[in-house]
Amino acid sequence: MSDLQIGVFDSGLGGLTAVRELMQILPGENIVYFGDTARVPYGTRSRDMIRTFAKQDLRFLLEKNLKAVLVACGTISSVALPDLRGMTDVPVIGVVEPTAAAACKATRKGKIGILGTSATVKSQSYHRAIEAIDPNIEVFAQACPLFVPLVENGYLTGDLVELAAKEYIAPLQEVGVDTVILGCTHYPLLKPVLSRLFGSGVTLIDSGREAALALAETLKEQNALSSAAEGTRRYYVSDEVSNFSHIAGMFLDRNIDGETEKVTLRTDG
Ligand code: DGL
Protein backbone atom coordinates (compact mmCIF):
# COMPACT_ATOMS: atom_id res chain seq x y z
CA MET A 1 0.00 0.00 0.00
CA SER A 2 1.24 3.44 -0.83
CA ASP A 3 0.09 7.03 -0.73
CA LEU A 4 2.70 8.26 -3.14
CA GLN A 5 1.50 9.69 -6.45
CA ILE A 6 1.17 8.39 -9.98
CA GLY A 7 2.79 10.81 -12.43
CA VAL A 8 1.16 11.04 -15.85
CA PHE A 9 2.36 13.20 -18.69
CA ASP A 10 1.75 14.12 -22.31
CA SER A 11 2.43 16.97 -24.69
CA GLY A 12 -1.00 18.39 -23.87
CA LEU A 13 -4.53 17.16 -23.24
CA GLY A 14 -4.16 13.66 -24.67
CA GLY A 15 -2.89 11.98 -21.52
CA LEU A 16 -6.19 12.79 -19.85
CA THR A 17 -7.64 9.80 -21.70
CA ALA A 18 -5.40 7.71 -19.43
CA VAL A 19 -6.22 9.82 -16.36
CA ARG A 20 -9.96 9.36 -16.89
CA GLU A 21 -9.45 5.62 -17.01
CA LEU A 22 -7.18 5.63 -13.95
CA MET A 23 -9.77 7.58 -11.95
CA GLN A 24 -12.33 4.92 -12.81
CA ILE A 25 -10.31 1.80 -12.12
CA LEU A 26 -8.19 3.16 -9.23
CA PRO A 27 -10.24 5.96 -7.62
CA GLY A 28 -8.07 6.01 -4.49
CA GLU A 29 -4.87 6.93 -6.32
CA ASN A 30 -3.24 10.34 -6.09
CA ILE A 31 -2.52 11.55 -9.61
CA VAL A 32 -0.24 14.34 -10.71
CA TYR A 33 -0.49 15.31 -14.38
CA PHE A 34 1.76 17.38 -16.58
CA GLY A 35 0.71 18.62 -20.03
CA ASP A 36 3.36 20.51 -21.99
CA THR A 37 0.78 22.80 -23.55
CA ALA A 38 3.36 25.47 -24.41
CA ARG A 39 5.15 23.10 -26.78
CA VAL A 40 2.40 20.83 -28.11
CA PRO A 41 2.40 19.21 -30.66
CA TYR A 42 5.38 16.89 -30.27
CA GLY A 43 4.39 14.49 -33.04
CA THR A 44 5.61 16.64 -35.90
CA ARG A 45 9.03 17.26 -34.32
CA SER A 46 12.36 15.46 -34.69
CA ARG A 47 13.23 12.43 -32.60
CA ASP A 48 15.97 14.35 -30.73
CA MET A 49 13.66 17.24 -29.91
CA ILE A 50 10.98 14.88 -28.59
CA ARG A 51 13.52 13.08 -26.40
CA THR A 52 14.82 16.37 -24.99
CA PHE A 53 11.31 17.63 -24.20
CA ALA A 54 10.28 14.29 -22.68
CA LYS A 55 13.25 14.26 -20.31
CA GLN A 56 12.47 17.80 -19.17
CA ASP A 57 8.84 16.85 -18.58
CA LEU A 58 9.77 13.82 -16.51
CA ARG A 59 12.37 15.76 -14.53
CA PHE A 60 9.59 18.11 -13.43
CA LEU A 61 7.32 15.23 -12.37
CA LEU A 62 10.07 13.38 -10.52
CA GLU A 63 10.11 16.22 -7.97
CA LYS A 64 6.62 15.09 -6.91
CA ASN A 65 7.20 11.90 -4.90
CA LEU A 66 6.09 9.34 -7.42
CA LYS A 67 5.54 5.61 -7.18
CA ALA A 68 5.04 5.13 -10.93
CA VAL A 69 5.06 7.07 -14.17
CA LEU A 70 2.59 6.71 -17.00
CA VAL A 71 3.95 8.08 -20.26
CA ALA A 72 0.51 8.84 -21.64
CA CYS A 73 1.76 9.86 -25.06
CA GLY A 74 2.24 7.60 -28.06
CA THR A 75 4.90 9.85 -29.51
CA ILE A 76 7.09 9.96 -26.38
CA SER A 77 6.52 6.24 -25.72
CA SER A 78 7.66 5.49 -29.28
CA VAL A 79 10.91 7.43 -29.23
CA ALA A 80 12.03 8.15 -25.65
CA LEU A 81 11.04 5.30 -23.31
CA PRO A 82 14.59 3.97 -22.69
CA ASP A 83 15.81 7.53 -21.91
CA LEU A 84 13.01 8.01 -19.39
CA ARG A 85 13.49 4.62 -17.75
CA GLY A 86 17.14 5.55 -17.22
CA MET A 87 16.10 8.59 -15.14
CA THR A 88 14.30 6.83 -12.29
CA ASP A 89 13.88 3.59 -10.35
CA VAL A 90 10.08 3.74 -10.27
CA PRO A 91 8.20 1.82 -12.99
CA VAL A 92 7.77 3.81 -16.22
CA ILE A 93 4.88 2.49 -18.32
CA GLY A 94 4.44 3.51 -21.97
CA VAL A 95 1.42 3.12 -24.19
CA VAL A 96 2.81 1.09 -27.10
CA GLU A 97 3.23 -2.46 -25.71
CA PRO A 98 -0.08 -2.71 -23.83
CA THR A 99 -2.00 -1.18 -26.74
CA ALA A 100 -0.39 -3.49 -29.29
CA ALA A 101 -1.23 -6.48 -27.09
CA ALA A 102 -4.88 -5.45 -26.84
CA ALA A 103 -5.10 -4.97 -30.62
CA CYS A 104 -3.57 -8.39 -31.32
CA LYS A 105 -6.18 -9.93 -29.02
CA ALA A 106 -9.01 -8.04 -30.72
CA THR A 107 -8.27 -8.63 -34.39
CA ARG A 108 -10.24 -11.38 -36.11
CA LYS A 109 -8.84 -11.07 -39.64
CA GLY A 110 -5.24 -10.28 -38.64
CA LYS A 111 -5.36 -6.77 -40.13
CA ILE A 112 -4.61 -3.94 -37.73
CA GLY A 113 -4.65 -0.24 -38.59
CA ILE A 114 -2.70 2.36 -36.63
CA LEU A 115 -3.60 6.02 -36.40
CA GLY A 116 -0.77 8.00 -34.85
CA THR A 117 1.35 11.10 -35.05
CA SER A 118 3.98 11.44 -37.77
CA ALA A 119 6.77 10.66 -35.28
CA THR A 120 4.99 7.56 -33.98
CA VAL A 121 4.33 6.22 -37.48
CA LYS A 122 7.90 6.98 -38.56
CA SER A 123 9.32 5.18 -35.51
CA GLN A 124 7.54 1.92 -36.46
CA SER A 125 7.11 1.26 -32.74
CA TYR A 126 3.67 -0.32 -33.15
CA HIS A 127 4.83 -2.45 -36.08
CA ARG A 128 7.63 -3.87 -33.95
CA ALA A 129 5.42 -4.47 -30.91
CA ILE A 130 2.77 -6.27 -32.99
CA GLU A 131 5.34 -8.31 -34.89
CA ALA A 132 6.85 -9.47 -31.61
CA ILE A 133 3.44 -10.81 -30.57
CA ASP A 134 2.30 -12.25 -33.89
CA PRO A 135 4.40 -11.86 -37.06
CA ASN A 136 1.46 -12.99 -39.23
CA ILE A 137 -0.60 -9.90 -38.47
CA GLU A 138 -0.64 -7.27 -41.22
CA VAL A 139 -0.14 -3.71 -40.01
CA PHE A 140 -1.18 -0.51 -41.83
CA ALA A 141 -0.27 2.88 -40.38
CA GLN A 142 -1.60 6.35 -41.09
CA ALA A 143 -0.21 9.60 -39.68
CA CYS A 144 -2.88 12.16 -38.70
CA PRO A 145 -1.03 15.45 -38.09
CA LEU A 146 -4.19 17.58 -37.94
CA PHE A 147 -5.85 15.67 -35.11
CA VAL A 148 -3.75 16.99 -32.19
CA PRO A 149 -4.18 20.70 -33.09
CA LEU A 150 -7.92 20.11 -33.56
CA VAL A 151 -8.27 18.50 -30.11
CA GLU A 152 -6.07 21.11 -28.40
CA ASN A 153 -8.31 23.81 -29.84
CA GLY A 154 -11.49 22.15 -28.66
CA TYR A 155 -12.68 20.70 -31.97
CA LEU A 156 -13.87 17.26 -30.89
CA THR A 157 -16.81 16.98 -33.31
CA GLY A 158 -18.11 18.92 -36.32
CA ASP A 159 -17.25 19.47 -39.98
CA LEU A 160 -13.51 20.09 -39.58
CA VAL A 161 -13.01 16.89 -37.60
CA GLU A 162 -15.17 14.88 -40.02
CA LEU A 163 -13.26 16.15 -43.04
CA ALA A 164 -9.84 15.33 -41.58
CA ALA A 165 -11.01 11.98 -40.20
CA LYS A 166 -12.51 10.84 -43.52
CA GLU A 167 -9.28 11.65 -45.31
CA TYR A 168 -7.10 9.85 -42.74
CA ILE A 169 -9.15 6.70 -42.31
CA ALA A 170 -9.88 6.05 -46.01
CA PRO A 171 -6.62 4.10 -46.67
CA LEU A 172 -7.28 1.87 -43.65
CA GLN A 173 -10.86 1.24 -44.76
CA GLU A 174 -9.63 0.38 -48.25
CA VAL A 175 -7.35 -2.41 -47.03
CA GLY A 176 -10.07 -3.79 -44.76
CA VAL A 177 -8.61 -3.51 -41.25
CA ASP A 178 -10.92 -4.85 -38.52
CA THR A 179 -9.08 -3.30 -35.57
CA VAL A 180 -7.69 0.21 -35.32
CA ILE A 181 -5.26 1.46 -32.69
CA LEU A 182 -5.87 5.05 -31.62
CA GLY A 183 -2.11 5.27 -31.19
CA CYS A 184 -2.00 8.88 -30.01
CA THR A 185 -3.65 9.53 -26.67
CA HIS A 186 -5.39 12.61 -28.06
CA TYR A 187 -7.42 10.54 -30.53
CA PRO A 188 -9.86 8.88 -28.08
CA LEU A 189 -11.25 12.41 -27.61
CA LEU A 190 -12.38 12.08 -31.25
CA LYS A 191 -13.82 8.61 -30.69
CA PRO A 192 -17.48 9.50 -31.26
CA VAL A 193 -16.65 10.68 -34.80
CA LEU A 194 -14.11 7.94 -35.54
CA SER A 195 -16.28 5.06 -34.39
CA ARG A 196 -19.22 6.33 -36.43
CA LEU A 197 -17.08 6.68 -39.56
CA PHE A 198 -15.42 3.29 -39.18
CA GLY A 199 -18.71 1.58 -38.35
CA SER A 200 -19.46 -1.31 -36.03
CA GLY A 201 -17.27 -3.83 -37.90
CA VAL A 202 -14.08 -2.11 -36.70
CA THR A 203 -12.85 -2.30 -33.10
CA LEU A 204 -11.09 0.84 -31.85
CA ILE A 205 -8.33 0.36 -29.27
CA ASP A 206 -7.78 3.33 -26.95
CA SER A 207 -4.08 3.69 -26.10
CA GLY A 208 -4.74 5.85 -23.01
CA ARG A 209 -7.06 3.21 -21.60
CA GLU A 210 -4.74 0.28 -22.30
CA ALA A 211 -1.78 2.08 -20.71
CA ALA A 212 -3.85 2.85 -17.61
CA LEU A 213 -4.87 -0.81 -17.30
CA ALA A 214 -1.21 -1.87 -17.63
CA LEU A 215 -0.18 0.57 -14.93
CA ALA A 216 -2.91 -0.72 -12.59
CA GLU A 217 -1.64 -4.26 -13.17
CA THR A 218 1.94 -3.22 -12.32
CA LEU A 219 0.89 -1.48 -9.09
CA LYS A 220 -1.15 -4.52 -8.06
CA GLU A 221 1.78 -6.84 -8.68
CA GLN A 222 4.01 -4.60 -6.59
CA ASN A 223 1.42 -4.31 -3.83
CA ALA A 224 1.66 -0.54 -4.26
CA LEU A 225 -2.00 0.41 -4.53
CA SER A 226 -3.36 3.25 -2.39
CA SER A 227 -5.67 2.46 0.50
CA ALA A 228 -7.54 5.80 0.27
CA ALA A 229 -11.19 5.95 -0.83
CA GLU A 230 -10.63 8.98 -3.05
CA GLY A 231 -7.27 10.19 -4.32
CA THR A 232 -6.07 13.73 -4.97
CA ARG A 233 -5.56 15.15 -8.46
CA ARG A 234 -3.28 17.94 -9.50
CA TYR A 235 -2.75 19.19 -13.05
CA TYR A 236 0.23 21.22 -14.23
CA VAL A 237 0.56 22.86 -17.63
CA SER A 238 3.29 24.93 -19.24
CA ASP A 239 0.94 27.49 -20.83
CA GLU A 240 -2.35 29.26 -20.06
CA VAL A 241 -4.47 27.32 -17.55
CA SER A 242 -7.88 28.32 -18.87
CA ASN A 243 -7.72 26.70 -22.30
CA PHE A 244 -6.54 23.41 -20.82
CA SER A 245 -8.87 23.33 -17.84
CA HIS A 246 -11.91 24.19 -19.97
CA ILE A 247 -11.47 21.33 -22.46
CA ALA A 248 -10.12 18.97 -19.78
CA GLY A 249 -13.11 19.74 -17.57
CA MET A 250 -15.50 18.85 -20.39
CA PHE A 251 -13.70 15.59 -21.05
CA LEU A 252 -13.28 14.57 -17.39
CA ASP A 253 -16.79 15.76 -16.60
CA ARG A 254 -15.68 17.87 -13.62
CA ASN A 255 -14.41 21.35 -12.98
CA ILE A 256 -10.62 21.24 -12.54
CA ASP A 257 -9.90 25.00 -12.51
CA GLY A 258 -8.86 24.92 -8.86
CA GLU A 259 -6.62 21.89 -9.36
CA THR A 260 -4.71 23.28 -12.35
CA GLU A 261 -1.56 25.40 -12.22
CA LYS A 262 0.82 26.88 -14.76
CA VAL A 263 4.50 26.08 -14.23
CA THR A 264 7.73 27.04 -15.93
CA LEU A 265 9.78 24.03 -16.92
CA ARG A 266 13.53 23.93 -16.46
CA THR A 267 14.94 23.61 -19.96
CA ASP A 268 18.64 23.63 -19.12
CA GLY A 269 20.48 20.36 -19.51
N1 DGL B 1 -0.83 12.60 -27.16
C1 DGL B 1 0.37 12.58 -27.95
C2 DGL B 1 0.57 11.18 -28.51
O1 DGL B 1 0.02 10.26 -27.94
C3 DGL B 1 0.28 13.70 -28.94
C4 DGL B 1 1.59 14.02 -29.55
C5 DGL B 1 1.70 15.41 -30.10
O2 DGL B 1 1.83 16.33 -29.31
O3 DGL B 1 1.74 15.53 -31.32
O4 DGL B 1 1.26 10.94 -29.47
Side-chain angles (χ1 to χ4, degrees):
M1 281 186 285
S2 164
D3 292 324
L4 297 170
Q5 317 200 73
I6 298 173
V8 183
F9 74 104
D10 177 48
S11 58
L13 284 156
L16 295 177
T17 56
V19 169
R20 186 165 80 167
E21 198 61 33
L22 277 178
M23 293 198 299
Q24 259 167 36
I25 55 179
L26 301 176
E29 294 298 330
N30 301 326
I31 298 172
V32 54
Y33 185 84
F34 177 68
D36 193 7
T37 51
R39 302 189 294 191
V40 66
Y42 282 14
T44 45
R45 297 179 189 270
S46 70
R47 213 182 159 83
D48 281 348
M49 188 65 84
I50 296 163
R51 288 170 63 202
T52 300
F53 286 180
K55 286 189 272 185
Q56 292 165 355
D57 301 342
L58 180 58
R59 181 169 61 184
F60 167 74
L61 276 183
L62 287 176
E63 291 164 7
K64 307 281 173 204
N65 244 354
L66 305 183
K67 61 178 171 187
V69 175
L70 185 54
V71 182
C73 174
T75 305
I76 299 174
S77 300
S78 292
V79 308
L81 212 52
D83 301 288
L84 303 178
R85 287 192 170 137
M87 290 171 66
T88 174
D89 290 333
V90 302
V92 177
I93 310 289
V95 300
V96 176
E97 267 77 22
T99 307
C104 290
K105 228 187 238 171
T107 184
R108 302 171 307 280
K109 297 193 291 186
K111 282 188 173 193
I112 296 177
I114 297 157
L115 298 176
T117 65
S118 304
T120 296
V121 169
K122 213 182 325 160
S123 78
Q124 301 251 318
S125 59
Y126 276 105
H127 288 75
R128 282 195 303 277
I130 292 169
E131 200 184 6
I133 297 168
D134 184 347
N136 294 317
I137 291 178
E138 286 184 90
V139 181
F140 306 88
Q142 175 65 46
C144 313
L146 291 177
F147 278 173
V148 169
L150 283 169
V151 170
E152 288 289 329
N153 287 289
Y155 289 91
L156 308 185
T157 56
D159 293 349
L160 284 176
V161 174
E162 296 253 344
L163 207 61
K166 278 184 185 153
E167 171 99 7
Y168 290 145
I169 74 172
L172 300 184
Q173 290 175 312
E174 226 157 83
V175 293
V177 298
D178 66 22
T179 301
V180 171
I181 289 176
L182 304 181
C184 166
T185 51
H186 279 73
Y187 302 175
L189 287 137
L190 305 173
K191 206 167 174 182
V193 171
L194 291 171
S195 52
R196 181 165 44 75
L197 293 177
F198 272 117
S200 57
V202 175
T203 307
L204 300 184
I205 309 287
D206 175 337
S207 55
R209 173 166 196 273
E210 297 306 328
L213 292 171
L215 177 73
E217 214 37 60
T218 303
L219 292 180
K220 251 178 237 161
E221 277 164 24
Q222 301 195 342
N223 201 18
L225 289 172
S226 160
S227 53
E230 167 119 34
T232 60
R233 277 103 216 195
R234 191 95 202 132
Y235 303 88
Y236 295 96
V237 287
S238 51
D239 201 353
E240 213 43 59
V241 164
S242 57
N243 187 41
F244 174 88
S245 66
H246 175 65
I247 304 171
M250 277 186 336
F251 179 67
L252 296 173
D253 208 15
R254 53 194 282 164
N255 185 336
I256 65 160
D257 288 352
E259 298 168 341
T260 310
E261 193 182 318
K262 180 179 175 212
V263 289
T264 305
L265 271 195
R266 263 180 59 203
T267 53
D268 56 311

